[in-house]
Amino acid sequence: MATKDVKIPARPGGQLKTPKGTRDWVGSDLILRDHILQTASEVFKRHGGTPLDTPAFELKSILAEKYGEDARLMYDLADQGGEICSLRFDLTVPFARWLAMNNVSQIKRYQIAKVYRRDQPAIARGRLREFYQCDFDIAGLYDPMIADAETLRVIVEVFEALELEVTIKINHRRILDGLFAVAGVPDEKIRSISSAVDKLDKMTWADVKKEMVDEKGISDEVADQIGEYVRRSGDMSEMLQFLKSDPRLCANENVKAGIDDMSLLISYLEALDVVDKVSFDLSLARGLDYYSGLIFESSQVGSIAAGGRYDNLVGMYAKNPIPCVGISFGVDRIFNILNACRKKKLTHKVDVYVMAFGGKEFDGLLLERMSVARQLWNAGISAEFAAKVKPKFDKQFKAAKNLRLAVILGQDELAAGQVRVKVLRDSDDESDSKDRGHLVSRGNLVEEVKKLLI
Amino acid sequence: MATKDVKIPARPGGQLKTPKGTRDWVGSDLILRDHILQTASEVFKRHGGTPLDTPAFELKSILAEKYGEDARLMYDLADQGGEICSLRFDLTVPFARWLAMNNVSQIKRYQIAKVYRRDQPAIARGRLREFYQCDFDIAGLYDPMIADAETLRVIVEVFEALELEVTIKINHRRILDGLFAVAGVPDEKIRSISSAVDKLDKMTWADVKKEMVDEKGISDEVADQIGEYVRRSGDMSEMLQFLKSDPRLCANENVKAGIDDMSLLISYLEALDVVDKVSFDLSLARGLDYYSGLIFESSQVGSIAAGGRYDNLVGMYAKNPIPCVGISFGVDRIFNILNACRKKKLTHKVDVYVMAFGGKEFDGLLLERMSVARQLWNAGISAEFAAKVKPKFDKQFKAAKNLRLAVILGQDELAAGQVRVKVLRDSDDESDSKDRGHLVSRGNLVEEVKKLLI
């Protein structure tokens, strides 16, 4: 056993924190995050998505050589004897591993789970070391661009359901590759020039050009020609028009194939009524190596959804490559945007507070409060009561603040088989209700409470 | 940077598996597991539970010295520079850390998340290295046994909602400690004798006695006296009767305090209508050190829910100890039980398949199929279509097998603004429907489909 001999402080009291780049989620934050995940998964199901859940860690050999430079950000598990594992870095590679392992040739799958990257945290900007990804992917050999179009439709549906106004930038790896070749970039420099171009959303053209010429060693003329191309974006027909009008581009096999794909895509996006949500942007390049066709990204203070077609990744595990296209939503960034504009605090308050009230001889009526709460729980109604034998009346009212209803017990009313029901707060109103309450028989309590909670 | 220099095979193809003791979850298994988690969280919310989510790993110093011998099963993260962390072992210690860190003095919190233990896996029995826990805990200083009673009520509600017939064994740590003292066990041996007694559900009394006498070094007479006590179980009043009738037990402070607690508990469980779900079992001891009062466990092929009161754990992190009582559900064991008795396969199938049909000149009507699917998605209806330009009719029908409805497009009907709607399967019926379909105008399609899907 190679267990590491880590020194543990004798008293753990010293460091009361979560590990660097991680955080706890509780209450209204968690409710909002669940709302995002729930909304997305409803859209995925509407499109025939099947849920998948994979372990939080994978064999390191499965993850190796998939993430290029970023692999240094991977969390490794300690070698405690047995297999060498790392925490998952994304959900795409585990999905590819699962497809290959189970010989699945066609599936729409979604997965919502945390992934782990030892990056420099920037919590305000939503960059954490443990964060949620929310992925939808279509795997399988189909006719060209149909699955790609449905994926773009899924993005639009998710953002519409979240009431976020978003445009999707799209591009095509083969058009990009062809365009670099036509501009005069040698083959072996295409990926590195591509990542320089990808920075155009954060840097000026002058700086990107400087990087290409000074650091990546291409000529001034080639860089200028690239600039002519990649600073163009616009609606799909406009951009296709531009590409088709350049005879040098049209002569390139990659560009030609890309134009064919994009032409098909226009008609499909029109049929799916999302063509106006899309902007064709020749500067979009996307970092990851494995993309092979259409790529896309939605940004708003950083990328909030991004993806593309990756036809060769599964082939790294299985004999038969399975073409895939998919999208990953940046849940934490979406959370930050929605959190900044939400109006009222979300809470998981129960609906009913069961309280008791009485004079000098008041014994607290605990068993009776329990029995009424039980009656409500049995009917599926959420309820609480003070965990005190003799609670003070004002403390009970304070605890009931912000809840919808109070059920108030008194000795005399109980003897007559009755309890008082009082509306504390109307559902669509933040202000206190003026209701003074009314008596209801125990037998009608559930019915009455249900009526008032509608 | 102390990154370990792990040797990675050049081609990852060799080992296509999940790490030892872990598994993927997909499709109907995942739907059933989600059903369990969803059911539990609805009960928790009904009782005023607030959701909490903590990171999958914690500082190792936080987890240290909480799990006794079991700590050797903890997964450590590799030392890659920076903090020393381990994967969480349960949800109780992270909850205690969170309470102390945020100075929370009262809360009902629930947490549903995976935990990690490097135990010997036994997948058929539901023992995995990565598994879900589903915890509900009440923290805060309240009057005695009220929160304890509500916790037991929560267990009953969860199992009733899952349609599982379950009895909860309960016991009290102070009764157990007092009873060992009365029997003549020296203080320093009480915990180890307690864990021997805990094995009575898996071992005979003779074997347990042998362990106590031979391995733990207590006398034959003391062991026999323990046996007199711990082999008793029954309903609460019966057992209280027994304890009260023994003058030696009643003279012990711990037993007396436990009897007081249990007497209160009876009346509360009666008010909450769960007293008949509970069996008072003097052999129940529970392994973990931190329990300080009531303990409980539901078993069915292993423990499927267990917990108790732990009043001193939070005090290991915070200046002020916060009394807590809580329950943890064994999701994977519950899954195995429900999975064994479920009747039909659960699926995430969409409701509607959009297909097209035509003669020799048939062009596949892809854009029209997309447009109809879009109309259904816009209305929140789940739908799919073949991702082929010219799909074969029989392949489309095969893909639609098991779905509820087909919307069938034909050139002539479309020209007349109509589509055919055909019921493939009635909702409550496994057999194919005999419906031959009927024509509906595009404008009425959503309404008609919604009507048929009710």
Side-chain angles (χ1 to χ4, degrees):
Chain A
M1 293 275 278
T3 311
K4 217 167 261 171
D5 192 19
V6 173
K7 208 167 148 36
I8 306 292
R11 288 290 304 167
Q15 279 218 309
L16 211 51
K17 62 187 285 292
T18 61
K20 182 174 178 183
T22 68
R23 54 164 290 192
D24 297 318
W25 291 80
V26 70
S28 55
D29 281 359
L30 196 43
I31 299 168
L32 178 58
R33 195 182 67 185
D34 280 349
H35 165 69
I36 296 167
L37 302 180
Q38 191 60 35
T39 302
S41 66
E42 270 160 29
V43 173
F44 302 155
K45 279 186 247 176
R46 197 186 296 155
H47 286 262
T50 296
L52 174 70
D53 178 37
T54 62
F57 47 88
E58 295 272 348
L59 297 185
K60 195 172 169 68
S61 57
I62 299 273
L63 302 183
E65 295 168 29
K66 301 299 175 307
Y67 301 107
E69 264 187 21
D70 283 351
R72 76 200 145 78
L73 303 178
M74 199 143 29
Y75 275 98
D76 294 329
L77 294 191
D79 179 0
Q80 295 175 287
E83 298 159 337
I84 301 299
C85 298
S86 301
L87 297 185
R88 65 183 157 213
F89 194 81
D90 67 4
L91 303 177
T92 309
V93 170
F95 174 50
R97 189 265 304 151
W98 176 83
L99 283 173
M101 206 174 122
N102 296 281
N103 276 314
V104 175
S105 61
Q106 282 199 352
I107 193 170
K108 288 177 183 169
R109 91 86 181 74
Y110 66 92
Q111 182 169 6
I112 297 176
K114 286 176 178 177
V115 301
Y116 301 88
R117 299 183 187 179
R118 295 177 61 254
D119 212 341
Q120 196 52 42
I123 292 178
R125 284 162 52 207
R127 191 169 70 217
L128 286 152
R129 289 180 158 200
E130 177 190 56
F131 59 99
Y132 258 102
Q133 282 195 341
C134 175
D135 283 23
F136 176 83
D137 294 79
I138 304 179
L141 190 61
Y142 307 103
D143 282 343
M145 305 312 287
I146 301 176
D148 309 63
E150 185 166 0
T151 307
L152 292 172
R153 165 85 197 186
V154 163
I155 303 175
V156 172
E157 283 189 36
V158 169
F159 285 126
E160 274 180 0
L162 292 170
E163 297 178 39
L164 276 175
E165 195 60 59
V166 165
T167 302
I168 309 168
K169 285 190 217 170
I170 64 171
N171 198 2
H172 196 294
R173 270 283 167 93
R174 294 191 69 179
I175 292 179
L176 209 52
D177 288 357
L179 171 162
F180 290 137
V182 169
V185 179
D187 274 5
E188 70 278 10
K189 288 191 176 166
I190 282 184
R191 277 282 75 76
S192 95
I193 292 300
S194 181
S195 33
V197 164
D198 202 40
K199 297 176 187 163
L200 265 178
D201 57 346
K202 293 181 207 101
M203 285 161 59
T204 63
W205 165 246
D207 287 339
V208 169
K209 182 181 166 185
K210 199 166 159 1
E211 179 178 326
M212 293 198 291
V213 175
D214 294 357
E215 293 173 33
K216 314 246 151 123
I218 61 167
S219 73
D220 216 62
E221 296 72 46
V222 170
D224 283 338
Q225 180 59 65
I226 293 172
E228 283 295 302
Y229 291 140
V230 298
R231 280 182 291 167
R232 285 179 185 270
S233 67
D235 76 36
M236 289 189 70
S237 349
E238 202 176 286
M239 291 295 292
L240 276 176
Q241 202 66 42
F242 159 74
L243 293 171
K244 285 179 184 169
S245 70
D246 185 322
R248 287 204 306 156
L249 288 178
C250 287
N252 179 283
E253 282 305 314
N254 275 326
V255 175
K256 247 185 351 205
I259 289 177
D260 287 348
D261 275 356
M262 292 307 234
S263 306
L264 267 180
L265 186 64
I266 291 191
S267 63
Y268 297 160
L269 295 184
E270 276 165 357
L272 297 176
D273 195 26
V274 291
V275 75
D276 58 325
K277 302 285 184 186
V278 158
S279 158
F280 190 167
D281 187 329
L282 285 174
S283 74
L284 178 72
R286 303 278 308 127
L288 292 173
D289 280 0
Y290 52 61
Y291 290 118
S292 57
L294 185 73
I295 47 180
F296 35 83
E297 181 175 293
S298 273
S299 304
Q300 203 174 343
V301 212
S303 159
I304 56 174
R309 174 161 286 284
Y310 50 102
D311 286 349
N312 307 316
L313 182 63
V314 182
M316 296 175 75
Y317 304 103
K319 279 197 199 97
N320 303 317
I322 301 166
C324 295
V325 60
I327 177 75
S328 182
F329 290 88
V331 179
D332 298 78
R333 289 218 178 102
I334 295 171
F335 172 87
N336 280 356
I337 295 165
L338 293 178
N339 196 34
C341 60
R342 74 177 158 180
K343 283 176 213 87
K344 51 181 180 177
K345 241 185 135 171
L346 302 160
T347 52
H348 252 316
K349 295 265 182 237
V350 299
D351 287 321
V352 183
Y353 202 86
V354 181
M355 54 180 80
F357 183 43
K360 259 194 180 157
E361 307 285 289
F362 178 59
D363 75 344
L365 297 171
L366 174 60
L367 297 182
E368 291 77 4
R369 287 183 284 130
M370 284 180 160
S371 157
V372 168
R374 181 247 300 166
Q375 198 185 351
L376 297 171
W377 293 331
N378 278 347
I381 297 163
S382 60
E384 284 191 287
F385 56 87
K388 285 265 172 204
V389 174
K390 281 194 204 178
K392 298 217 171 78
F393 194 59
D394 55 341
K395 288 226 169 143
Q396 294 179 83
F397 255 107
K398 212 177 139 197
K401 209 176 132 63
N402 301 320
L403 304 199
R404 301 271 308 276
L405 286 184
V407 175
I408 307 172
L409 315 191
Q411 197 66 63
D412 298 345
E413 289 91 340
L414 277 176
Q418 292 185 312
V419 295
R420 183 171 296 273
V421 176
K422 178 171 149 59
V423 176
L424 300 173
R425 190 169 292 273
D426 298 319
S427 67
D428 49 358
D429 193 352
E430 287 293 287
S431 63
D432 292 347
S433 159
K434 297 280 174 277
D435 180 45
R436 307 203 44 195
H438 59 285
L439 288 170
V440 180
S441 79
R442 281 290 297 271
N444 292 333
L445 177 63
V446 164
E447 199 185 340
E448 182 67 16
V449 165
K450 281 192 170 169
K451 215 173 64 193
L452 291 169
L453 286 178
I454 282 169
Chain B
M1 295 275 279
T3 311
K4 218 169 256 172
D5 192 20
V6 174
K7 211 168 145 37
I8 307 293
R11 289 288 305 167
Q15 278 218 308
L16 212 50
K17 64 187 282 294
T18 61
K20 183 174 177 181
T22 69
R23 56 164 288 195
D24 298 317
W25 291 79
V26 71
S28 55
D29 281 0
L30 196 43
I31 298 169
L32 178 59
R33 194 182 69 185
D34 280 349
H35 165 69
I36 296 167
L37 302 180
Q38 190 62 33
T39 302
S41 66
E42 268 159 32
V43 172
F44 302 156
K45 281 186 249 178
R46 198 186 295 154
H47 286 262
T50 296
L52 174 70
D53 178 38
T54 62
F57 48 88
E58 296 272 349
L59 297 184
K60 195 172 170 68
S61 57
I62 300 274
L63 303 183
E65 294 167 31
K66 301 299 174 305
Y67 301 108
E69 261 187 23
D70 282 350
R72 79 201 142 79
L73 303 178
M74 200 145 24
Y75 275 98
D76 294 328
L77 294 191
D79 180 359
Q80 296 174 287
E83 298 160 339
I84 301 298
C85 299
S86 301
L87 295 185
R88 64 183 159 213
F89 194 80
D90 67 5
L91 303 177
T92 309
V93 170
F95 174 50
R97 188 265 305 150
W98 176 83
L99 283 172
M101 205 173 122
N102 296 280
N103 277 312
V104 175
S105 62
Q106 282 199 353
I107 193 169
K108 289 177 183 167
R109 91 85 181 73
Y110 66 92
Q111 183 169 6
I112 298 175
K114 287 177 178 175
V115 301
Y116 300 88
R117 297 183 189 180
R118 295 177 59 256
D119 211 340
Q120 197 52 41
I123 293 179
R125 284 162 53 207
R127 191 169 71 217
L128 285 152
R129 291 181 155 198
E130 177 190 57
F131 59 99
Y132 257 101
Q133 280 196 340
C134 175
D135 282 24
F136 176 83
D137 294 79
I138 304 180
L141 189 62
Y142 308 103
D143 283 343
M145 304 314 285
I146 302 177
D148 310 63
E150 185 166 359
T151 307
L152 293 172
R153 165 85 198 185
V154 163
I155 304 175
V156 173
E157 284 189 36
V158 169
F159 286 126
E160 275 181 359
L162 292 171
E163 296 176 40
L164 277 175
E165 197 60 60
V166 164
T167 302
I168 309 167
K169 285 191 217 169
I170 64 171
N171 198 1
H172 196 295
R173 270 284 165 94
R174 295 190 69 178
I175 293 180
L176 209 52
D177 288 357
L179 172 160
F180 290 137
V182 169
V185 179
D187 275 4
E188 69 279 8
K189 288 191 176 165
I190 283 184
R191 278 282 75 76
S192 96
I193 292 300
S194 181
S195 33
V197 164
D198 201 40
K199 297 176 186 161
L200 266 178
D201 56 347
K202 294 180 207 102
M203 283 161 60
T204 64
W205 166 246
D207 288 338
V208 170
K209 183 181 166 185
K210 199 166 159 1
E211 179 177 327
M212 294 198 290
V213 175
D214 294 357
E215 294 173 31
K216 313 247 151 119
I218 63 168
S219 74
D220 217 61
E221 297 72 45
V222 171
D224 282 339
Q225 182 58 65
I226 294 172
E228 283 296 304
Y229 292 139
V230 299
R231 280 183 291 168
R232 285 180 185 268
S233 67
D235 75 38
M236 289 189 70
S237 350
E238 202 176 284
M239 291 296 291
L240 277 175
Q241 203 66 44
F242 159 74
L243 292 171
K244 286 178 185 169
S245 70
D246 185 321
R248 286 206 304 156
L249 288 178
C250 287
N252 179 284
E253 284 305 314
N254 275 326
V255 175
K256 249 190 342 208
I259 289 177
D260 288 348
D261 276 355
M262 293 306 235
S263 306
L264 268 181
L265 187 64
I266 292 191
S267 62
Y268 297 160
L269 295 183
E270 275 166 357
L272 298 176
D273 194 26
V274 292
V275 76
D276 58 324
K277 303 284 183 185
V278 159
S279 158
F280 191 167
D281 187 328
L282 284 174
S283 75
L284 178 71
R286 305 279 307 127
L288 293 171
D289 279 0
Y290 53 61
Y291 290 119
S292 57
L294 185 73
I295 47 179
F296 35 84
E297 180 175 292
S298 272
S299 305
Q300 203 175 341
V301 210
S303 160
I304 56 174
R309 174 161 287 283
Y310 51 101
D311 285 349
N312 307 317
L313 181 63
V314 182
M316 296 176 75
Y317 304 102
K319 278 195 200 98
N320 304 315
I322 301 165
C324 295
V325 60
I327 177 75
S328 182
F329 290 88
V331 180
D332 298 78
R333 288 218 179 103
I334 296 172
F335 172 87
N336 280 356
I337 295 165
L338 292 179
N339 196 33
C341 59
R342 75 177 157 182
K343 283 175 214 89
K344 51 180 178 176
K345 241 186 137 172
L346 302 160
T347 52
H348 251 316
K349 294 267 183 234
V350 299
D351 286 321
V352 183
Y353 202 86
V354 181
M355 54 179 81
F357 184 42
K360 259 196 179 155
E361 307 285 289
F362 179 56
D363 75 344
L365 296 170
L366 174 59
L367 297 182
E368 291 77 5
R369 285 183 283 131
M370 284 180 161
S371 159
V372 168
R374 181 246 301 165
Q375 197 186 353
L376 297 170
W377 292 332
N378 278 347
I381 298 162
S382 60
E384 284 191 287
F385 55 87
K388 286 267 171 201
V389 174
K390 281 194 204 178
K392 298 218 170 78
F393 195 60
D394 56 340
K395 289 226 166 141
Q396 293 179 83
F397 254 107
K398 211 178 141 197
K401 209 176 133 65
N402 300 321
L403 305 199
R404 301 271 307 277
L405 286 184
V407 175
I408 307 172
L409 315 191
Q411 197 68 60
D412 298 344
E413 289 91 340
L414 278 176
Q418 292 185 312
V419 295
R420 183 171 297 273
V421 176
K422 178 171 150 61
V423 177
L424 300 172
R425 191 169 292 272
D426 298 319
S427 66
D428 49 357
D429 194 352
E430 287 292 289
S431 62
D432 293 346
S433 159
K434 298 280 175 277
D435 180 45
R436 308 205 41 195
H438 59 286
L439 288 171
V440 180
S441 79
R442 280 291 296 272
N444 292 332
L445 176 62
V446 165
E447 200 187 339
E448 182 66 18
V449 165
K450 280 192 170 168
K451 215 173 65 193
L452 291 169
L453 286 178
I454 284 170

